[in-house]
Amino acid sequence: MKHLFCISSPFQADSARRIIGHYGLPSEEVRILLFDHAFGRDHERVLCSLGELAGQLEIRHITAKTNALSRRLRFVFREAPEGNFKVYSGDWRNKLFKFFALHPGFRGFIAMDDGTASLVIAEQAAKGRQKMFAGLARFRPLFISRYPLKTLCPSLEVISLPTACHQKPLDTNAVLFIGCCVVEKGIMREEDYQQQLACARAAFPHQRIVYYPHRSEQSRTLPEGFERVDPAVPIEHWFEMQPSPPAGLVSLFSSALINLASDYPDIRAFYMKPTADRILKRSDDIERVYHWLECLPGFTRLPEIHTP
């Protein structure tokens, strides 16, 4: 049996690493197909997310020349010509994902966690709005996820992805602020974003606040009392690397709040929702994350404190 992991983001690489470790898949039977979406600045982050596996597994780079679905399929079947293989993919935009998910006779496809995109696809499958998502509900591919996807779409077959890291002792004296690239994307002004940081500092006056910037953020001056870390790996992987991760999380609308809270049930997760006058433009993605934060259990909204 060969296991082919289609990877195009650091988060998918992190999920692949957890799945390979959890099921003890032999390295000689695993192939990583690294699609060109992950090239550029995310390439090293993908390799970091794979951890030690990056030096143990065979990694094939799928370039733009093999982007056509027919070429990708030929590549997959060339990797496992006897047909005894499973395909793992977490990129819902991936042409291979769509082919295997919608193929009624194929049962070797496994939908791998892709951050909160997993929640999106479960919602869409439940509503049956598009052929692809309706097909997922009909053909019932197997999902490996850390999220309660069956609550959104009961027809999906979901296997929970347990992690051992949630047993780690948490640092009750530390809070992690998960940065957002809201200024860079024109969603907020710098002074308004700084106001949110000041509010977080005021909400946790007796604890260390560690700032984890978004990979698309520009370097900025932080308020007094903040400690900065370098995002060399996805935040979920960074958390797992810490001997005692922060016991508190706070952010605006980062989906990483949901990811980490699902892995560490003892964490206290807080979100901040700026007033309408501080938001220059809205998006469906932002509103969706806020909807989940307001509806899913375990998340507390911090009041906006006006600081001088």
Side-chain angles (χ1 to χ4, degrees):
M1 173 67 71
K2 287 191 176 181
H3 303 267
L4 307 181
F5 287 83
C6 302
I7 304 299
S8 59
S9 77
F11 192 95
Q12 292 168 28
D14 185 64
S15 293
R17 178 180 59 86
R18 296 187 185 198
I19 291 171
I20 293 168
H22 177 66
Y23 290 104
L25 303 181
S27 59
E28 64 272 12
E29 296 181 4
V30 175
R31 300 288 186 275
I32 300 293
L33 308 184
L34 184 59
F35 287 92
D36 55 358
H37 302 66
F39 291 176
R41 65 185 176 189
D42 274 348
H43 180 66
E44 290 301 320
R45 289 166 55 85
V46 167
L47 297 180
C48 287
S49 297
L50 289 172
E52 295 181 356
L53 291 177
Q56 302 170 7
L57 303 177
E58 183 176 347
I59 300 177
R60 298 291 186 89
H61 293 220
I62 313 300
T63 64
K65 294 181 179 180
T66 55
N67 253 350
L69 176 59
S70 60
R71 293 176 180 174
R72 291 186 180 194
L73 288 174
R74 284 200 298 270
F75 187 92
V76 169
F77 285 101
R78 187 169 68 246
E79 285 292 294
E82 71 280 6
N84 187 24
F85 64 93
K86 291 184 178 180
V87 173
Y88 303 74
S89 178
D91 189 349
W92 322 123
R93 298 157 296 183
N94 189 303
K95 295 177 182 178
L96 277 177
F97 178 98
K98 296 178 181 179
F99 173 83
F100 287 116
L102 294 178
H103 196 295
F106 189 76
R107 290 294 179 267
F109 175 79
I110 296 176
M112 184 175 58
D113 240 356
D114 188 21
T116 49
S118 303
L119 295 171
V120 173
I121 201 169
E123 282 188 338
Q124 296 295 331
K127 297 173 182 177
R129 288 183 173 177
Q130 299 181 30
K131 178 182 177 182
M132 174 186 171
F133 299 125
L136 287 174
R138 177 182 174 188
F139 300 132
R140 304 179 71 185
L142 178 63
F143 277 75
I144 298 181
S145 178
R146 69 194 72 186
Y147 304 109
L149 300 186
K150 289 184 73 68
T151 61
L152 296 173
C153 185
S155 63
L156 294 179
E157 293 185 13
V158 182
I159 292 180
S160 297
L161 179 59
T163 58
C165 57
H166 71 272
Q167 300 295 335
K168 287 185 176 182
L170 300 177
D171 184 354
T172 57
N173 292 320
V175 173
L176 185 70
F177 191 105
I178 304 173
C180 299
C181 52
V182 288
V183 177
E184 292 74 12
K185 291 188 175 182
I187 297 172
M188 294 183 71
R189 292 177 288 266
E190 177 67 31
E191 56 268 28
D192 289 328
Y193 187 59
Q194 289 287 340
Q195 174 73 14
Q196 303 303 306
L197 298 179
C199 288
R201 174 71 277 179
F204 304 99
H206 305 298
Q207 292 159 292
R208 295 169 43 237
I209 295 192
V210 181
Y211 187 83
Y212 192 101
H214 190 278
R215 65 181 183 276
S216 299
E217 272 189 75
Q218 298 177 358
S219 180
R220 59 170 35 89
T221 302
L222 299 175
E224 184 178 353
F226 276 77
E227 305 173 16
R228 189 194 307 269
V229 296
D230 179 25
V233 295
I235 191 169
E236 295 82 6
H237 193 180
W238 178 87
F239 226 79
E240 190 174 336
M241 294 165 58
Q242 306 308 303
S244 297
L249 299 173
V250 61
S251 186
L252 274 71
F253 50 81
S254 174
S255 58
L257 277 176
I258 301 172
N259 298 340
L260 290 171
S262 67
D263 279 346
Y264 299 82
D266 294 333
I267 265 182
R268 299 180 63 201
F270 303 87
Y271 67 95
M272 309 172 72
K273 192 171 185 179
T275 54
D277 60 304
R278 296 184 185 275
I279 302 297
L280 300 178
K281 63 179 181 180
R282 297 187 177 273
S283 73
D284 291 341
D285 288 342
I286 293 175
E287 294 305 318
R288 178 181 285 114
V289 173
Y290 271 132
H291 172 72
W292 287 330
L293 292 172
E294 291 165 353
C295 295
L296 293 174
F299 298 95
T300 303
R301 180 177 177 178
L302 281 182
E304 187 161 3
I305 305 170
H306 293 280
T307 59

